[in-house]
Amino acid sequence: MASCCTQLCLQCRRLLSSQMVARTWRYSTQLGHCTTVTGLPPKILNGPTVVRGDHTVAEARQRWKQQMFCYSDFTAKHLATEAKEDKDIEELSRAVDVAYKSPLMPIRDAVPVTESQISLDLDAATEFSALEEISDEEAVRIFVPSAMPPASLSLRDYVDQSETLSKLVQLGVNLWKLEQRPNVGSMLLRLNFNTDVAPRLLFLKEIGVDDSHFGNIITRNPFILTESLENLQARVNYLKSKKFSSETVASMVSRAPYLLNFSVKRLDNRLGFFQQQLNFSASNLRNIVARLPRLLCGSLEPIKENLKVCEIEFGFKENEIQHIVLSVPKVLAANKRKLTQIFDLLHNTMEVPHHLIVKFPQVLNSKYLRIRERHLFLEYLGKAQYDPNLPNYISLDRLVSLPDEAFCTELASATLEDFHLFQKTL
């Protein structure tokens, strides 16, 4: 009995294997025939895959439907055949009365694809087509970005949408310089041209500032657009009360745009500082401030330090310092290291006495390398003589002010090519 049952089990397994192979062969053959008839590639398109080639969207949709209907038909036939064969297997198992369960389960995941699903997938595939017509409801749901970017790293992205920025560009304001400064870009975007910018520009024009200077003033000092007109007028009135002429005030504002950002009290304190440190008369003080108005806007510590250096390290007397400052106010705001280098070269290397430096103070405002190269060239030629009491005297003024060609012909009695060759040896 046991051997009989074993033989029946082996026959059932062989039968199941042969039937499954036959079913798989028939299914693949029929599906290949369907693929050949429809003319589509064997690869099935899923989801929003775009139909490639020269076919239109309508042709792709029709062929897709044909393939899926064919696939659904063969799937249904396959399931029906499988159910019938399963029934035969169950009858065979009951006939031999063997408790055996086939390990090969019927395929139940193959569900026919409906036409609505196919239509939905194709609509998703052509959702972003620019040639397809859409309804009014779909058009309303389309998201349109805001005309003005919510955030940007550059002000140029806002110029076309902001009247204030576009007008400032027309005035010559360099927005690329302003956007590098913190919080200035957002401040300009909040300003209204008619109520915030235009009144300040009219004020500048009324005090005598030329229109061509507006761009430079705002580029260097955009915060003047946030100052109240009352404060601006009060500061101009203060400068005029100190006997600065209207033309001088306009020139000072153009060359030192931050001047009008200082309160009246602060301006008065700074004028008093220079009056005390330099012991100048009112007219001399107005003279140096009018020529270098940024003295009233910058830090006072470097000015104090330079005055101490001139007095203690250089050894100039008070009246000599006054003469130097009146002649070259930039000495007050010069870099301390540069000033020390030039004086050391003039006094210790070239052996120029103090009174000659005071007589030609502009030499302290010259370039250190220019003075050194020319002195070494004259020394190489044996003509480095700066004493006015001796023959072949060379003035410090001409030494630093003449261009290279005139220096070579008039002072060094050499050619420009000789001077350039000498410079290469340094």
Side-chain angles (χ1 to χ4, degrees):
M1 183 66 179
S3 60
C4 181
C5 292
T6 303
Q7 292 177 359
L8 288 175
C9 291
L10 294 175
Q11 293 176 0
C12 291
R13 290 184 180 180
R14 286 195 296 271
L15 177 62
L16 289 174
S17 300
S18 60
Q19 290 177 351
M20 179 58 66
V21 171
R23 287 202 306 267
T24 305
W25 174 259
R26 289 198 304 272
Y27 176 72
S28 60
T29 304
Q30 292 169 351
L31 182 59
H33 174 71
C34 176
T35 303
T36 305
V37 171
T38 56
L40 286 175
K43 184 178 181 180
I44 299 176
L45 302 177
N46 296 325
T49 306
V50 181
V51 179
R52 299 179 181 177
D54 297 333
H55 302 290
T56 62
V57 175
E59 292 174 352
R61 181 179 299 165
Q62 184 65 25
R63 295 188 178 185
W64 174 268
K65 290 180 180 180
Q66 291 176 1
Q67 181 184 6
M68 296 308 295
F69 287 151
C70 183
Y71 172 74
S72 301
D73 184 31
F74 286 123
T75 302
K77 290 181 180 181
H78 169 70
L79 292 176
T81 304
E82 188 181 41
K84 183 178 178 181
E85 292 174 351
D86 289 343
K87 185 177 180 181
D88 295 339
I89 294 173
E90 291 177 0
E91 291 177 357
L92 180 61
S93 299
R94 286 196 300 268
V96 297
D97 195 22
V98 177
Y100 176 76
K101 185 176 181 180
S102 175
L104 299 177
M105 303 299 293
I107 300 175
R108 305 186 185 278
D109 295 334
V111 181
V113 181
T114 62
E115 184 178 358
S116 62
Q117 292 174 336
I118 298 172
S119 176
L120 179 61
D121 292 341
L122 288 178
D123 289 342
T126 59
E127 180 181 358
F128 299 100
S129 176
L131 303 177
E132 184 178 359
E133 295 183 2
I134 61 176
S135 62
D136 295 338
E137 292 77 11
E138 293 176 335
V140 171
R141 289 196 298 269
I142 294 177
F143 173 76
V144 179
S146 175
M148 182 172 291
S152 177
L153 297 177
S154 177
L155 286 175
R156 64 181 179 182
D157 297 332
Y158 300 93
V159 172
D160 294 336
Q161 292 79 27
S162 173
E163 180 187 7
T164 300
L165 294 183
S166 61
K167 293 291 182 63
L168 291 178
V169 171
Q170 295 175 11
L171 290 172
V173 178
N174 293 325
L175 296 182
W176 67 272
K177 290 184 178 180
L178 295 179
E179 68 188 14
Q180 297 175 1
R181 305 171 63 177
N183 303 325
V184 173
S186 58
M187 180 198 74
L188 293 177
L189 287 174
R190 290 193 297 266
L191 296 179
N192 182 281
F193 184 82
N194 295 325
T195 59
D196 299 323
V197 181
R200 275 74 183 174
L201 297 179
L202 291 175
F203 171 79
L204 293 176
K205 189 172 183 63
E206 289 175 357
I207 66 175
V209 177
D210 191 77
D211 298 354
S212 60
H213 295 154
F214 288 167
N216 179 58
I217 291 174
I218 298 176
T219 300
R220 296 172 60 186
N221 178 25
F223 303 104
I224 195 174
L225 301 177
T226 61
E227 291 285 344
S228 66
L229 294 175
E230 292 78 9
N231 289 337
L232 294 176
Q233 187 62 56
R235 293 156 192 173
V236 170
N237 293 338
Y238 169 78
L239 293 175
K240 290 182 178 180
S241 69
K242 295 298 180 179
K243 297 184 180 181
F244 288 98
S245 65
S246 299
E247 293 78 9
T248 302
V249 172
S251 176
M252 292 168 62
V253 172
S254 301
R255 290 180 290 124
Y258 274 98
L259 183 63
L260 294 183
N261 284 61
F262 287 78
S263 64
V264 171
K265 182 178 180 181
R266 194 172 183 182
L267 290 174
D268 187 69
N269 290 337
R270 287 179 172 252
L271 289 175
F273 165 79
F274 287 105
Q275 178 74 35
Q276 179 182 5
Q277 292 290 325
L278 298 171
N279 198 19
F280 277 162
S281 63
S283 59
N284 287 336
L285 182 60
R286 283 193 299 269
N287 183 10
I288 64 170
V289 171
R291 292 165 57 192
L292 194 66
R294 62 188 178 95
L295 290 175
L296 296 178
C297 305
S299 175
L300 298 179
E301 289 302 321
I303 297 175
K304 288 182 180 179
E305 192 171 5
N306 284 346
L307 289 175
K308 291 297 181 181
V309 167
C310 289
E311 180 182 0
I312 299 175
E313 295 186 19
F314 298 169
F316 289 111
K317 300 178 181 178
E318 182 179 354
N319 61 334
E320 292 176 335
I321 295 175
Q322 290 176 345
H323 178 76
I324 293 174
V325 171
L326 281 175
S327 302
V328 188
K330 287 185 178 180
V331 171
L332 291 174
N335 181 272
K336 175 187 173 183
R337 180 173 174 272
K338 173 190 172 183
L339 196 62
T340 304
Q341 278 185 330
I342 293 176
F343 178 80
D344 182 68
L345 175 64
L346 293 172
H347 187 64
N348 298 326
T349 303
M350 300 170 59
E351 298 181 354
V352 178
H354 284 79
H355 70 275
L356 285 181
I357 297 177
V358 174
K359 185 178 181 180
F360 304 106
Q362 59 271 18
V363 73
L364 295 174
N365 192 42
S366 302
K367 295 182 179 179
Y368 170 79
L369 186 61
R370 183 188 188 96
I371 302 173
R372 179 175 177 271
E373 288 178 346
R374 294 189 174 188
H375 165 68
L376 292 177
F377 185 59
L378 291 174
E379 188 177 42
Y380 173 76
L381 298 175
K383 297 183 178 182
Q385 208 288 99
Y386 310 107
D387 189 350
N389 299 321
L390 297 177
N392 300 323
Y393 163 69
I394 294 179
S395 169
L396 293 179
D397 182 26
R398 301 187 67 193
L399 177 69
V400 299
S401 62
L402 289 178
D404 286 346
E405 186 174 0
F407 162 75
C408 293
T409 57
E410 298 179 16
L411 299 184
S413 300
T415 62
L416 184 62
E417 183 180 359
D418 294 336
F419 182 54
H420 289 166
L421 291 175
F422 177 78
Q423 286 178 316
K424 294 179 180 180
T425 63
L426 297 179

